[in-house]
Amino acid sequence: MARYLVTGGCGFIGSHLIERLIAAGNDVRVLDDLSTGRKDNLPSGVPLTVGDVADPDLVNDLMGGVDGCFHLAAVASVDRSREDWRGTNRTNLAGTITVFDAARRAAGGAPVPVVYASSAAVYGDNQNVPLVEAATVGPLSAYGADKLACELHARVADGVHGVPTTGFRFFNVFGPRQDPKSPYSGVISIFAARIARGEPITINGDGEQVRDFVYVRDLVRYLTAAMDKPVPGAPVYNVCTGVPTTVNRLAEVLADLAGRPLDRRHGPPRSGDIRVSIGDPSRLVAAFGMACGTSLEDGLRDTLAWL
Ligand code: NAD
Ligand code: UD1
């Protein structure tokens, strides 16, 4: 049993991680400002501090005595990062440095490991798919730029301050508890909710854009495995399946699974939309000995069942 701080624990991915940590008998504390997360995403009894991840006193305090930190708190929306550039930077980059800095002396003055969320957004529209971790990065948004900067500061945390870090470049994550009501929500949660209610969906552009969809319960296994065996060198891994799915096909599979007719409309392409995003999971599988094994269909069934 270990004691962990989870930032962003009331969010979509954080809540699945906490479920897993608790089931394994760990002691968990959460820091979240509830900007997009929800208190009722947390299992009962998990202590929550409502506050800002970029507040150094608060983070230092919460980091005291933990064995490690899972850092997921972020403004997780590319659109939001366009609207609020400086505010996003404060949470996404300053918040991450605040976490690394506090981790330097968490265990009675000694460093503890940090496992943190990066994003496929660091690749920008690099079309050299499937994308390997060594591919050229070129973020197209403030969100992606900050995630890349987090990876650079993770190297500083490791090399200069002795804080072991592991970064995960999540591709398109989906599953239960991804809030379909949020304007920043992922395509699967939006389509699943609308199709299940028999409402029309809007496909941006021709729908032939491709994504690599990762089921959330597959993803959180890597986070805990990385915490269990931290390695030096601030490694970063894609979290992806390598399986391409077009937005059109996604809509068809969802309608099929929901047993509803598909009412699809095409809107204009989303400005700056990436055409093809597929990751190469080889490095992830080699390091952790497991692939993201849940099929899209099974993951979608779970998501529909949750609605
Ligand atoms: P989410 O919005 O559900 O979770 C983020 C959590 O962070 C929320 O609970 C929110 O309230 C909290 N938060 C935001 N700003 C904060 C602040 N200043 N202080 C404290 N808490 C704050 O999003 P998610 O999808 O669960 O994302 C988790 C992590 O994964 C994020 O770092 C995100 O950038 C990353 N990520 C997600 C995806 C995806 O497809 N969902 C893809 C790539 C990367
Ligand atoms: C997603 C993540 C982002 C992450 C990036 C990494 C979400 C909300 N965003 O962005 O955090 O950094 O992956 O690659 O998970 N679409 C429609 N109709 C809709 C909604 C979306 O056609 O109603 C289309 C979009 O135009 C896009 C695709 O579906 O082509 C996926 O969109 P979205 O789920 O928003 O994810 P990304 O933009 O890929």
Side-chain angles (χ1 to χ4, degrees):
M1 185 194 115
R3 184 177 301 161
Y4 297 118
L5 170 63
V6 180
T7 74
C10 296
F12 160 51
I13 297 172
S15 67
H16 286 276
L17 170 66
I18 287 169
E19 222 170 62
R20 187 177 166 83
L21 291 170
I22 298 285
N26 295 293
D27 187 352
V28 175
R29 57 179 84 155
V30 172
L31 169 62
D32 201 299
D33 71 354
L34 300 180
S35 52
T36 57
R38 298 159 53 101
K39 237 186 218 165
D40 58 14
N41 276 343
L42 285 184
S44 63
V46 173
L48 164 67
T49 301
V50 178
D52 181 8
V53 72
D55 174 344
D57 292 337
L58 182 60
V59 176
N60 278 327
D61 192 37
L62 287 168
M63 196 73 83
V66 300
D67 298 299
C69 173
F70 295 92
H71 172 49
L72 299 172
V75 173
S77 154
V78 173
D79 280 350
R80 181 85 192 128
S81 80
R82 189 181 308 124
E83 289 153 20
D84 183 13
W85 188 0
R86 289 186 335 108
T88 301
N89 173 262
R90 178 180 150 81
T91 293
N92 290 10
L93 182 55
T96 300
I97 295 171
T98 304
V99 165
F100 290 153
D101 188 39
R104 288 163 62 186
R105 43 185 177 272
V112 296
V114 179
V115 172
Y116 68 97
S118 182
S119 168
V122 300
Y123 296 115
D125 68 352
N126 185 333
Q127 297 287 291
N128 199 5
V129 295
L131 291 157
V132 293
E133 288 82 353
T136 305
V137 290
L140 299 173
S141 59
Y143 173 80
D146 280 338
K147 288 293 187 183
L148 183 56
C150 290
E151 294 183 4
L152 296 174
H153 282 277
R155 289 194 210 169
V156 175
D158 174 73
V160 179
H161 301 293
V163 175
T165 67
T166 311
F168 288 101
R169 293 175 176 172
F170 302 158
F171 280 66
N172 289 62
V173 189
F174 76 100
R177 295 202 285 272
Q178 192 171 29
D179 186 0
K181 290 187 218 82
S182 157
Y184 310 121
S185 202
V187 64
I188 290 185
S189 59
I190 296 170
F191 282 8
R194 296 191 70 88
I195 288 172
R197 289 196 300 260
E199 294 170 2
I201 57 159
T202 303
I203 292 179
N204 301 330
D206 67 5
E208 285 305 296
Q209 60 269 46
V210 171
R211 292 293 184 273
D212 185 331
F213 293 108
V214 181
Y215 181 56
V216 66
R217 291 195 171 106
D218 286 345
L219 175 148
V220 297
R221 296 179 310 154
Y222 298 104
L223 306 185
T224 54
M227 183 60 82
D228 290 345
K229 285 203 180 78
V231 294
V236 224
Y237 302 95
N238 288 338
V239 185
C240 57
T241 63
V243 178
T245 305
T246 64
V247 170
N248 284 327
R249 172 156 162 72
L250 169 70
E252 286 153 14
V253 174
L254 267 171
D256 207 37
L257 292 172
R260 295 279 192 170
L262 179 57
D263 182 357
R264 82 175 104 179
R265 299 161 191 197
H266 288 267
R270 189 164 76 187
S271 136
D273 214 7
I274 290 166
R275 188 70 180 165
V276 179
S277 172
I278 300 291
D280 182 336
S282 308
R283 188 168 183 211
L284 180 78
V285 175
F288 296 97
M290 55 190 176
C292 292
T294 305
S295 68
L296 180 68
E297 284 78 2
D298 284 348
L300 292 179
R301 262 188 214 101
D302 236 37
T303 309
L304 285 165
W306 168 76
L307 287 171

